[in-house]
Amino acid sequence: MKSIVLPIALAVALATPLAAQRPTPPAPPPLDPQVAAMRDAALAGDTVAWDIVEGITTEVGPRMAGTEAEARARAWGLAKLTALGFKNVRIETTKMRTWVRGGETAEVISPFPQKLRLTALGSSGATPPEGLTAEIVYFPTFGDLQAAPDGSLKGKIAFVSNAMVATQDGSSYGSFGSARFVGPNLAAKKGAAAMIIRSIGSDHGRGPHTGQTNFEKGVTPIPAAALSTSDADNLSRMVKRGKPVTLHLTLTPRDLGMTETGNVIGEVPGTDPAAGLIVVGGHLDSWDLGTGAIDDGAGIAITAAAAKRFLDGPPPRRTIRVVWFGDEETGGAGSDAYFAAHKDEPHALAAESDFGADRVWRFAVALPDGAKAVGDRLQVALAPLGIVRSKEKAGDGADIEPLVKAGVSVVDLNQSGTRYFDYHHTPEDTLERIDPVQLRQNVAAWTAMLAVVANAPEALVKPK
Ligand code: ZN
Ligand code: ZN
């Protein structure tokens, strides 16, 4: 038998007791009993978040940005925040380019005739009213589509079938999502007549996942749709049998031109205006297939429910401003309008909730150098909820992106993504997906976070 020779450094490390290798971590800061009390009260008994998400899904339902349904959602939001006791409640409107769904059908003509379930992607172009018939060109991955020679897709339907898998941190959405975000634009530039993708989702059902796609200026939008994961896998199996596959596709979405959208805003006034304001929120709009429960009824509910707890107790040092952004899904007119109107106000910190209603498992911060202790206090306040600290720098959220880019401090409260993409942007995004126990854990986390940051004695507004 060959003897194993350990490198000296490794041999020494193995021989040294563990305690001697690691410096003793500094003692954590004490937990403010007021923070703990507010957190625990939310965890035990919050009903406001459920009331909001149940209310908006029941009384408004689907609310595509820029449509009359979003206008009804704004009116609903104004009434709700007013009834909850928020101050300075108002709607701030802006204009946006609005796309709406039409008819959408697909069937395999040959070699195995059958109907397929799909849904148009936001910004998709339209087929002729009678539809189009073309052969598909199959790409297992987005990279394969990128490698296709220019002009090689002329008159064809490009089909990218990459299969997203779920991860707790949701990062696979970014890596698999390119097929949707930019695939149709690329296929259009290569001459394709249309493009279909396997839904960017982790389920195995027949409910397709919609979502926005983006065409560059100068590229004419082609019809673009997502097959349900099940239908995409079926179509992939047909391709693998080796014969040309011909599809008949009908998509008739419309562009409504410029219409109105708007943000709904309410505040918990603080005692020290010079300390800056805290912005929290999510987006009011939703896709049209479900009722927008996890995306993002939950986010507006969680953030408003946490802020509401400061209306019922001693006022916070910093004003807490709740913003329900009007358009996030189809281009972000809501966040652009908010930033244009409020960028000169002293923003101390921003945080967004837009990842469903499952439990918060991790947090991250981006704070000024002089406020590092705030992160340590958050760690102590959030640990009893099973929330760990990330080493990554915070900065999540499309709605607060302009603020983050401008250097405003951020806290991310990351929710578990293990089942979010089973339902994301599908007909199954309904109230049944919300677990009230996990929803309360979210409200408790947001309450604790706000209790720490809104009352922090450190300076949070970065000097201009
Ligand atoms: Zn969202
Ligand atoms: Zn969404």
Side-chain angles (χ1 to χ4, degrees), residues 19-372:
Q21 293 173 41
R22 292 192 192 139
T24 313
L31 174 59
D32 180 340
Q34 175 71 18
V35 172
M38 289 186 75
R39 177 198 65 204
D40 295 345
L43 187 65
D46 185 75
T47 56
V48 173
W50 180 266
D51 176 58
I52 293 172
V53 69
E54 190 269 352
I56 197 160
T57 52
T58 306
E59 296 169 16
V60 181
R63 43 199 185 276
M64 278 282 282
T67 67
E68 64 75 35
E70 192 226 298
R72 279 188 282 117
R74 287 197 298 276
W76 187 93
L78 188 81
K80 178 56 76 177
L81 290 180
T82 304
L84 287 170
F86 283 90
K87 309 296 181 217
N88 307 322
V89 180
R90 68 233 190 236
I91 294 171
E92 296 180 352
T93 59
T94 187
K95 295 282 188 202
M96 64 172 282
R97 184 113 198 195
T98 296
W99 173 98
V100 289
R101 190 177 306 288
E104 41 196 27
T105 58
E107 57 189 303
V108 177
I109 301 298
S110 68
F112 308 115
Q114 56 187 288
K115 289 183 176 164
L116 300 176
R117 288 201 187 175
L118 50 52
T119 192
L121 302 177
S123 283
S124 166
T127 63
E130 68 281 9
L132 64 83
T133 301
E135 196 178 310
I136 66 166
V137 183
Y138 175 69
F139 300 104
T141 68
F142 177 67
D144 297 320
L145 171 65
Q146 286 179 300
D150 283 348
S152 63
L153 299 180
K154 193 134 191 66
K156 305 280 194 344
I157 299 173
F159 169 38
V160 174
S161 76
N162 68 185
M164 181 187 173
V165 288
T167 55
Q168 182 170 234
D169 69 359
S171 57
S172 53
Y173 184 54
S175 42
F176 290 93
S178 303
R180 190 192 90 211
F181 310 144
V182 294
N185 179 68
L186 185 60
K189 291 205 289 187
K190 291 175 188 288
M195 174 154 176
I196 54 176
I197 61 167
R198 186 186 194 274
S199 279
I200 307 303
S202 49
D203 64 307
H204 303 282
R206 293 199 80 185
H209 300 237
T210 189
Q212 188 69 3
T213 191
N214 302 289
F215 292 95
E216 285 168 49
K217 231 182 171 151
V219 175
T220 304
I222 57 172
L227 293 160
S228 80
T229 58
S230 168
D231 287 87
D233 292 345
N234 197 10
L235 188 60
S236 300
R237 290 193 299 272
M238 292 182 205
V239 169
K240 284 166 190 163
R241 287 189 169 35
K243 289 188 182 143
V245 177
T246 304
L247 215 64
H248 184 71
L249 179 66
T250 308
L251 300 175
T252 57
R254 286 176 303 135
D255 187 334
L256 300 184
M258 299 302 282
T259 67
E260 195 166 80
T261 182
N263 301 325
V264 182
I265 300 176
E267 292 174 351
V268 183
T271 56
D272 183 0
L277 58 97
I278 312 279
V279 169
V280 295
H283 63 87
L284 185 61
D285 68 322
S286 79
W287 285 101
D288 50 346
L289 303 177
T291 56
I294 61 167
D295 190 13
D296 185 25
I300 62 169
I302 291 162
T303 50
K308 153 87 174 142
R309 293 190 163 261
F310 295 81
L311 287 169
D312 303 337
R317 179 184 178 209
R318 295 180 174 85
T319 293
I320 300 170
R321 178 180 287 168
V322 175
V323 185
W324 290 358
F325 293 89
D327 164 45
E328 188 272 346
E329 292 291 7
T330 72
S335 61
D336 291 346
Y338 178 83
F339 189 70
H342 299 282
K343 62 180 182 301
D344 293 331
E345 293 170 53
H347 284 85
L349 190 132
E352 175 177 333
S353 176
D354 184 15
F355 204 56
D358 282 353
R359 62 183 292 274
V360 178
W361 67 281
R362 187 178 66 171
F363 81 100
V365 299
L367 293 162
D369 287 343
K372 293 249 184 285

